[in-house]
Amino acid sequence: MVVELPEIFLHWNYFPRRTSALNFLEGKHGGDAAKFFLESTRHTPALCTAFQKPDGTISVNAKIVGVGYVPKKEFINKAIEDFKRHLQKGDIDLSEAKERKEREIALAEYRKNAMRLFLKHLYLSPEEARIRMDFTKLSTIELALSKPNSSKHTWSILQENKTACLLFYRPPHISFEIRGQIDIYEEGLYHDFVRLVHDAFHYAPPEKRRIRRPVYIFNVEEMYDNSPTPKAFGVRIA
């Protein structure tokens, strides 16, 4: 049975993303590299998977992934429309930018527009987030299938067992473990939305966006605070 991500996690992981997006638009996101890398840990947990082989041995894998949020289904179509228009405008603006400086300016504006859409559809105020966001789910994209030399361990394991774990860690003492089931989408609402969100900031030309990139939707079933604090050390919080 799915559960919602608890407040202690959302106040560390979700709501600061809105602040980061606002800072990006105001030009306050640069300067302190150490702080930037610490902040990025909100987005990059380890995805851990495993399954038992016919001979009884266990195949395990863990990799760092970029993890995002998804709105409730009734709010996704409008977001998809907005993100599609954003990519289409980006394709036009960047194709018309012939000089390097022109392309840098177009790309900077493209990313600012992405942040504006993130603030509109993803990183909402606490009041709006409670209404529009589905906090029983997290999302990521499988990028390894397009890489010829990749081991594709995660993809292979998930064909056998869709139980997985996300492990978040930020030095020196923040750590959360989320357990649940993964649904794989290669079409449909979640597939379109998550891919569009990824491409909204990380621009790639249309031909590169057509490669196979399945979407993983992680359904939250349990959550633990693994931080080395008196009230944590593996205490279940959801």
Side-chain angles (χ1 to χ4, degrees):
M1 188 174 84
V2 298
V3 298
E4 286 199 345
L5 295 165
E7 290 295 316
I8 188 174
F9 179 76
L10 294 177
H11 280 285
W12 171 70
N13 190 276
Y14 173 77
F15 292 112
R17 297 189 186 202
R18 178 175 177 83
T19 302
S20 295
L22 289 167
N23 287 342
F24 185 92
L25 289 175
E26 295 171 6
K28 299 177 182 178
H29 61 291
D32 189 337
K35 182 178 180 181
F36 171 80
F37 288 123
L38 277 177
E39 291 294 309
S40 70
T41 60
R42 290 189 175 95
H43 179 63
T44 55
L47 172 59
C48 308
T49 51
F51 86 101
Q52 186 173 15
K53 299 177 184 179
D55 64 3
T57 60
I58 306 296
S59 176
V60 298
N61 189 64
K63 71 172 180 177
I64 302 301
V65 295
V67 162
Y69 290 83
V70 294
K72 295 174 182 176
K73 282 189 173 180
E74 58 265 36
F75 299 103
I76 291 181
N77 276 321
K78 179 62 172 66
I80 286 175
E81 292 174 6
D82 283 353
F83 280 109
K84 280 184 176 178
R85 282 195 292 268
H86 167 64
L87 261 69
Q88 289 166 358
K89 184 177 187 305
D91 290 338
I92 294 170
D93 291 346
L94 285 158
S95 67
E96 293 177 348
K98 304 304 181 183
E99 301 295 328
R100 179 177 177 180
K101 187 63 176 178
E102 291 176 339
R103 186 172 179 82
E104 288 175 353
I105 293 171
L107 189 57
E109 187 60 26
Y110 177 81
R111 288 173 174 165
K112 285 183 179 179
N113 288 333
M115 285 297 173
R116 294 182 181 105
L117 288 178
F118 292 166
L119 289 167
K120 179 179 180 181
H121 293 293
L122 269 181
Y123 304 141
L124 311 175
S125 67
E127 297 77 15
E128 281 293 302
R130 304 284 181 249
I131 297 169
R132 294 166 51 188
M133 299 304 296
D134 186 347
F135 288 131
T136 68
K137 294 177 171 56
L138 291 165
S139 66
T140 190
I141 299 178
E142 179 55 82
L143 299 175
L145 292 187
S146 64
K147 311 298 181 184
N149 297 321
S150 167
S151 65
K152 303 173 181 59
H153 284 149
T154 298
W155 176 256
S156 298
I157 290 174
L158 287 176
Q159 307 314 300
E160 306 293 336
N161 177 33
K162 292 181 173 58
T163 301
C165 170
L166 289 169
L167 180 62
F168 289 85
Y169 172 63
R170 186 176 77 176
H173 58 72
I174 293 176
S175 181
F176 293 101
E177 175 190 352
I178 308 175
R179 299 183 179 186
Q181 298 289 319
I182 286 180
D183 294 326
I184 301 174
Y185 292 91
E186 296 203 57
E187 60 182 6
L189 278 180
Y190 287 132
H191 176 262
D192 293 349
F193 175 79
V194 176
R195 284 177 48 135
L196 284 165
V197 168
H198 177 273
D199 296 339
F201 188 84
H202 303 286
Y203 180 79
E207 62 273 14
K208 291 189 176 181
R209 299 200 297 263
R210 288 192 284 270
I211 62 175
R212 187 184 183 195
R213 293 178 297 167
V215 163
Y216 299 152
I217 297 296
F218 188 99
N219 300 285
V220 180
E221 294 181 342
E222 300 176 10
M223 185 164 185
Y224 298 83
D225 187 342
N226 289 348
S227 305
T229 63
K231 294 183 179 180
F233 266 105
V235 171
R236 184 172 178 175
I237 56 176

